[in-house]
Amino acid sequence: MENKIYSSIIKRIFLVILMALCLSVILFCAYFLTGYKVYRDLSYGETEHNVMDVYLPDDAGGQEECGVVLFIHGGSWSGGDKSEEDIRCRMVARQGYIAATLNYTLRTAENADDYTVFWVLDEIDAALLKIKDFAEEKGIKVSEVAISGYSAGAHLALLYTYSRGDTAPLEIVFTSSMAGPADISADVWGADMAARIGTLLTGEKITAEDAYSGAASELLSTISPISYVNEGVPPTIIIHGGRDTTVPEANAESLIERLSSCSIPHKYVYLENSDHLLLQNPIKHLSYYRLLIEYCDIYFN
């Protein structure tokens, strides 16, 4: 008799849990998968890599103007895919802002001799033009953008914002870095790693001795976002993990010091227990997304 009672209780508990899970899935779909349309693999350039996804809010056409957030994926400049930014794009589009993410030219064994990070900056130019034109085709006016990225994508977001903000097709109102390289120098990375990153992104052979002695300082500065920070750059959000062994925390510290010296508004979300994936401080991690939407509300229009 007792076994039957226990079995009945267990079944009821199981059904309650199953119903709760189903309800959670329904609520998730209702919140994150509605309120916008996704346009996949829009071509913005001449190569097979030059495709992007655009997320248009359903009510964007009813606004006088709509802001855009462009997300750039990570992957050490040699891997990754725009699909990695899907959830972030959905979160932004659900709040009524246009979101977009792009694939860009990655460094490979085939293009290693010619590859430079400046190719990708040119591609971001083209992607922003595509977003503007595509939105106008849909009856939506856009003139402002925020650029965000993770890891190598954060480096690209910062470098593009600070070095090309004056000439960008859309006005950049703020930028956001998630665990991003900001200061490519021997002091921050060590001579060996600074030389490797410098060689990868500039197309020029840089040795550890060059990085250590300062002989490569001018070349490394061309790919270091902090080198372009001045009083006119946009506000910046930074999130970094205190246990990040992939991109040293000193990158965030160096960027914050430079932004402060130029009186640039910025916010720093420090995840003391997180590594490069930024997953070990979930509550603080969520505060970063709230901050991102807050910046959209403040700086767009």
Side-chain angles (χ1 to χ4, degrees):
M1 184 69 177
E2 287 186 3
N3 289 338
K4 288 184 178 180
I5 293 174
Y6 289 143
S7 176
S8 177
I9 292 174
I10 291 173
K11 287 180 179 179
R12 289 180 182 181
I13 292 174
F14 176 77
L15 286 174
V16 169
I17 293 173
L18 182 62
M19 290 175 65
L21 288 173
C22 291
L23 180 60
S24 297
V25 171
I26 292 171
L27 290 174
F28 175 87
C29 293
Y31 186 81
F32 283 105
L33 304 182
T34 61
Y36 54 87
K37 294 179 181 177
V38 184
Y39 298 84
R40 301 285 187 194
D41 296 324
L42 301 177
S43 176
Y44 70 85
E46 299 178 354
T47 76
E48 61 180 342
H49 305 291
N50 298 151
V51 291
M52 65 190 312
D53 299 338
V54 177
Y55 301 65
L56 291 185
D58 292 342
D59 62 350
Q63 302 178 36
E64 181 177 343
E65 189 165 343
C66 192
V68 180
V69 182
L70 175 64
F71 291 95
I72 306 177
H73 72 79
S76 301
W77 304 278
S78 58
D81 185 83
K82 58 184 172 62
S83 61
E84 297 164 17
E85 299 299 318
D86 181 67
I87 291 297
R88 285 189 265 269
C89 286
R90 291 182 185 276
M91 291 179 68
V92 166
R94 190 66 181 77
Q95 297 301 316
Y97 299 102
I98 297 172
T101 183
L102 76 161
N103 279 348
Y104 50 88
T105 300
L106 303 172
R107 187 181 188 272
T108 64
E110 289 73 24
N111 66 20
D113 292 338
D114 302 314
Y115 185 87
T116 79
V117 72
F118 306 108
W119 286 8
V120 183
L121 300 189
D122 290 341
E123 291 176 339
I124 296 173
D125 271 331
L128 292 180
L129 279 172
K130 177 64 178 182
I131 294 170
K132 182 178 181 180
D133 292 343
F134 180 73
E136 289 180 353
E137 290 174 8
K138 300 295 182 181
I140 306 167
K141 179 182 178 183
V142 296
S143 62
E144 297 175 329
V145 66
I147 304 181
S148 177
Y150 168 71
S151 193
H155 168 264
L156 294 170
L158 294 174
L159 186 61
Y160 182 86
T161 297
Y162 297 155
S163 69
R164 298 201 179 185
D166 291 340
T167 60
L170 298 174
E171 179 186 356
I172 305 172
V173 296
F174 72 88
T175 187
S176 171
S177 168
M178 301 183 70
D183 184 354
I184 313 300
S185 66
D187 289 341
V188 168
W189 289 85
D192 287 339
M193 185 58 71
R196 288 176 59 186
I197 296 173
T199 299
L200 186 152
L201 297 183
T202 67
E204 302 288 339
K205 177 61 178 176
I206 300 174
T207 67
E209 176 58 30
D210 292 334
Y212 179 77
S213 67
S217 293
E218 185 173 348
L219 187 56
L220 291 175
S221 71
T222 65
I223 59 171
S224 293
I226 67 162
S227 301
Y228 299 93
V229 174
N230 55 52
E231 285 80 2
V233 303
T236 301
I237 301 173
I238 304 155
I239 179 171
H240 213 100
R243 298 182 179 180
D244 191 337
T245 57
T246 302
V247 176
E249 183 189 345
N251 280 272
E253 296 169 345
S254 181
L255 178 56
I256 290 168
E257 181 180 354
R258 180 62 178 161
L259 291 169
S260 298
S261 70
C262 293
S263 301
I264 303 302
H266 60 277
K267 295 286 187 180
Y268 183 32
V269 180
Y270 176 58
L271 308 184
E272 62 275 7
N273 297 319
S274 289
D275 57 21
H276 191 59
L277 295 178
L278 305 174
L279 298 177
Q280 288 84 356
N281 296 96
I283 302 302
K284 281 190 175 181
H285 197 154
L286 286 175
S287 73
Y288 164 78
Y289 292 107
R290 290 195 295 269
L291 185 58
L292 182 70
I293 298 302
E294 179 183 321
Y295 263 51
C296 288
D297 294 340
I298 292 172
Y299 290 106
F300 284 132
N301 299 318

